[in-house]
Amino acid sequence: MDMEKIVALCKRRGFIYPSSEIYGGLNGFWDYGPLGVELKRNIKEAWWRDMVLDPPPGPDGEELQMVGLDCAIIMNPKVWEASGHVAGFVDWMTECPSCKRRYRADKVYLVALVPEKELPHYTAAGPGQLPTPPVVLAYQADDPQQARKLFEAEFARLVKKQKLAADLAPLAIVSVLQAPSHWSRPCPEPGCSGQLSEPRKFNLMFRTFVGAAEDASAVAYLRPETAQGIFVNFANVLGTTRVKLPFGIAQIGKAFRNEINPRYFTFRSREFEQMEIEFFCHPQESEKWYRFWRDVRIRWYVQLGLRSDRLRPREQSREELAHYSCGTTDIEYLFPFADEPQELEGVAHRGDYDLRQHQQASGKDLTYFDEEAWERDKTQLGFTSFKEWLKTNPPPEQVGRYQFLPHVIEPSAGVDRLALAAICEAYAEDTVGGEPRTVLRFHPRLAPIKAAVFPLVNRDGMPEKAYALYRELKRQFVVFYDDKGAIGRRYRRQDEAGTPFCITIDSQTLQDDTVTLRNRDDCTQIRLPIRGVAEELHRRLQPPR
């Protein structure tokens, strides 16, 4: 699969454009065109329907309680102080004074080369005593394995051009962040002879000011995630709804991260959209719910057409886990631009970290009172009032049976990353009728256009009948009408847009009121009554249960 072809198709067909392109664009920002808007809308609607409006039964077959929120993008900066983002939401940055490029220091790898016969001398050196290698090459990569592949390809070329000695061997491959300070740090940009600066911390939150003054009292941030808006509204949701543990709060919204080096098309952007659930549960049941949501989310991607071996779940190691996480599964997809699968979604067991942080910072009580458990046990305890019972100073573990901070399971998905994965998974090239075609085999629920309606020819009343059907279907689906060009060419245009069904009005339609329904993937056609077209589309677009 060629990423360049996919990027070109996205621009040509109106899925994704560079933002503010007529002014040269802006790195890390993208605009979605007519087809891209519909693709993203379908992703969000499928997620909201399948996870919030009609979620699957719980692990014991129980109905899930799910509600939604839509929180402000800019919140009180104390939210981000309490969550740890102000102090800890940082990447290490390094920059080149020659070409002015900036890089994440943990994503630039240095390959130290020494004469092969001197390797034992270098490897025998103790910690902190490693001699300076005579040659250091730099590569922008996600991990040492990818850096090694880039090095091996370039090393063969440089030796062939006699720019490097053939007897050099790699001593070590380390990131700029890990490299000894006395090593050379060449810029990885091809053709640049500059040296990278010492790594320094860089906060990823976009900073702004609220109000007319631009001083410390007016500082605010664009949210780097949607989750914190849910946590600070936990008590509001409890107080204004009738939800009881376990329950989930869902949100879809924009988030912003000032990435040092956005790349890989839309995969790593500075403005993106998230679909997040914070599922609150009893601490003793949190492991069960973590496994449940991990399995539900993996299955959802498969149901939406990501069926290839490029999709995989991966449990993070202890070294990878965020400081607050009891366990995290990354649902990953192997994109064409990468050698290893990249994260689509993280399903994290966050414990009670977030509620505890906000409770301590705000001074507000964010505990949950289990009224059913109290009603069950109060007679045995000899009290009718929980507050009166607390006055007897019962042990904390006893109080914790009835009043506690819930644990949280967080499935957090990226809309833009899923849109890109759906395009990559759907992209195919094949031959139909001896002619090559490019086709996007989207799952019908995700396809931007659900059906296209064509008159076979522009005469004999076919256009009028076709347009009437188009107007009828338009009330229920996103459909497209096309009467320009040969029928085969119209099919190819819709194949490239990912339209799963094409409906053609032909001469037989004029005789018996039947139409042809063409399937995008295998080009098979069936005839059905024109009055049954809408029902057939509903059937084929129905979400699986």
Side-chain angles (χ1 to χ4, degrees):
M1 189 187 302
D2 189 337
M3 195 65 200
E4 289 185 6
K5 288 184 178 180
I6 290 173
V7 173
L9 173 68
C10 286
K11 174 71 182 299
R12 182 174 70 250
R13 294 300 308 181
F15 281 95
I16 303 169
Y17 310 132
S19 181
S20 49
E21 185 178 17
I22 63 172
Y23 291 102
L26 185 61
N27 191 19
F29 296 91
W30 301 91
D31 296 338
Y32 284 81
L35 292 185
V37 165
E38 292 299 328
L39 174 61
K40 283 186 69 176
R41 186 174 66 85
N42 291 340
I43 287 171
K44 290 182 283 188
E45 286 185 355
W47 184 86
W48 196 263
R49 172 152 294 283
D50 296 346
M51 299 297 120
V52 183
L53 300 181
D54 188 22
D60 300 322
E62 69 272 39
E63 183 83 11
L64 293 192
Q65 300 177 86
M66 302 291 296
V67 296
L69 276 181
D70 185 6
C71 302
I73 287 173
I74 296 177
M75 297 190 290
N76 189 309
K78 291 180 180 179
V79 170
W80 307 111
E81 294 171 10
S83 67
H85 284 79
V86 171
F89 195 57
V90 297
D91 277 339
W92 286 88
M93 182 182 76
T94 181
E95 54 191 325
C96 174
S98 296
C99 68
K100 311 300 181 186
R101 290 184 178 271
R102 295 183 176 92
Y103 303 94
R104 275 181 56 174
D106 61 337
K107 297 297 182 182
V108 174
Y109 284 85
L110 304 179
V111 181
L113 299 175
V114 300
E116 193 166 9
K117 63 182 180 183
E118 296 182 21
L119 266 178
H121 167 66
Y122 279 87
T123 54
Q129 301 175 343
L130 192 66
T132 303
V135 178
V136 177
L137 302 178
Y139 301 93
Q140 195 174 355
D142 287 325
D143 51 54
Q145 292 75 28
Q146 186 183 13
R148 178 176 286 277
K149 289 181 181 179
L150 295 171
F151 156 71
E152 289 172 349
E154 187 184 31
F155 183 69
R157 180 178 61 81
L158 293 175
V159 169
K160 186 176 181 180
K161 291 186 174 184
Q162 298 184 344
K163 292 187 175 182
L164 281 181
D167 68 339
L168 291 174
L171 169 67
I173 300 177
V174 295
S175 73
V176 168
L177 204 55
Q178 302 165 320
S181 59
H182 61 277
W183 280 23
S184 168
R185 289 192 295 267
C187 176
E189 178 65 16
C192 180
S193 58
Q195 291 283 315
L196 297 176
S197 66
E198 284 281 349
R200 60 184 176 87
K201 287 183 177 181
F202 175 78
N203 195 290
L204 298 178
M205 287 196 293
F206 277 100
R207 190 176 173 186
T208 187
F209 297 94
V210 175
E214 293 192 5
D215 55 28
S217 66
V219 168
Y221 304 94
L222 302 188
R223 66 183 180 194
E225 63 179 28
T226 62
Q228 298 305 320
I230 295 177
F231 294 125
V232 299
N233 275 292
F234 174 73
N236 283 335
V237 172
L238 276 183
T240 56
T241 68
R242 301 182 66 185
V243 293
K244 295 181 179 179
L245 286 189
F247 70 91
I249 303 176
Q251 181 171 203
I252 298 175
K254 292 271 187 150
F256 305 82
R257 295 181 185 178
N258 197 8
E259 294 283 352
I260 295 169
N261 190 20
R263 55 199 169 121
Y264 300 147
F265 197 26
T266 59
F267 180 82
R268 191 172 299 283
S269 302
R270 288 175 167 139
E271 176 183 346
F272 52 94
E273 207 162 3
Q274 291 182 302
M275 305 180 293
E276 289 194 312
I277 294 170
E278 306 304 329
F279 192 81
F280 300 92
C281 60
H282 194 286
Q284 293 178 357
E285 296 185 336
S286 57
E287 281 298 324
K288 174 181 75 173
W289 285 108
Y290 170 61
R291 293 190 299 270
F292 168 80
W293 280 109
R294 178 193 62 195
D295 296 344
V296 163
R297 296 303 301 143
I298 294 168
R299 189 163 60 246
W300 188 75
Y301 286 102
V302 174
Q303 290 172 345
L304 286 182
L306 271 65
R307 299 176 180 274
S308 71
D309 56 5
R310 291 192 287 270
L311 181 73
R312 76 167 190 190
R314 184 182 67 84
E315 189 80 18
Q316 287 189 6
S317 65
R318 286 193 175 275
E319 293 73 26
E320 293 177 278
L321 289 176
H323 63 91
Y324 55 76
S325 177
C326 306
T328 296
T329 297
D330 287 338
I331 302 173
E332 300 178 329
Y333 183 80
L334 182 59
F335 289 92
F337 55 73
D339 295 323
E340 294 292 328
Q342 305 292 313
E343 183 185 350
L344 274 182
E345 173 169 344
V347 181
H349 184 328
R350 300 179 71 109
D352 65 6
Y353 171 80
D354 299 277
L355 291 179
R356 187 173 297 279
Q357 287 293 107
H358 288 299
Q359 179 171 267
Q360 291 174 352
S362 69
K364 306 296 183 183
D365 182 10
L366 298 180
T367 58
Y368 177 82
F369 177 60
D370 190 339
E371 191 174 351
E372 290 183 359
W374 172 253
E375 290 296 322
R376 181 193 64 218
D377 296 345
K378 68 180 183 181
T379 303
Q380 183 180 346
L381 294 170
F383 287 86
T384 57
S385 166
F386 178 72
K387 291 182 179 180
E388 290 298 318
W389 178 66
L390 285 180
K391 292 177 181 179
T392 66
N393 293 319
E397 59 272 15
Q398 255 193 307
V399 176
R401 295 177 189 172
Y402 313 109
Q403 190 174 42
F404 51 86
L405 285 170
H407 277 199
V408 176
I409 311 302
E410 179 192 74
S412 176
V415 181
D416 306 86
R417 290 188 178 186
L418 177 51
L420 182 57
I423 292 171
C424 293
E425 183 79 8
Y427 184 90
E429 296 175 356
D430 61 13
T431 303
V432 175
E435 294 185 1
R437 74 162 178 167
T438 299
V439 58
L440 290 178
R441 294 193 172 103
F442 288 124
H443 187 284
R445 290 184 73 194
L446 298 187
I449 302 170
K450 304 306 183 190
V453 181
F454 310 144
L456 182 63
V457 293
N458 286 320
R459 63 174 187 269
D460 302 331
M462 293 183 202
E464 291 80 6
K465 208 165 186 68
Y467 195 75
L469 176 60
Y470 160 74
R471 293 296 304 175
E472 177 191 335
L473 296 177
K474 194 174 182 179
R475 297 172 185 167
Q476 305 172 63
F477 312 99
V478 177
V479 291
F480 188 80
Y481 179 82
D482 191 359
D483 60 2
K484 301 293 190 295
I487 191 70
R489 191 168 298 172
R490 283 180 268 171
Y491 283 150
R492 297 297 174 271
R493 288 198 289 261
Q494 293 306 312
D495 291 342
E496 202 172 55
T499 305
F501 309 111
C502 290
I503 302 151
T504 304
I505 307 296
D506 55 20
S507 56
Q508 188 173 336
T509 310
L510 305 178
Q511 299 172 19
D512 59 11
D513 257 0
T514 62
V515 299
T516 62
L517 181 72
R518 173 189 180 268
N519 184 288
R520 171 200 62 208
D521 295 340
D522 57 13
C523 299
T524 56
Q525 298 187 17
I526 63 169
R527 293 203 76 87
L528 72 160
I530 196 169
R531 63 180 180 276
V533 170
E535 183 180 346
E536 180 66 14
L537 289 179
H538 272 298
R539 186 184 70 80
R540 295 186 181 221
L541 296 170
Q542 187 69 22
R545 292 305 300 167

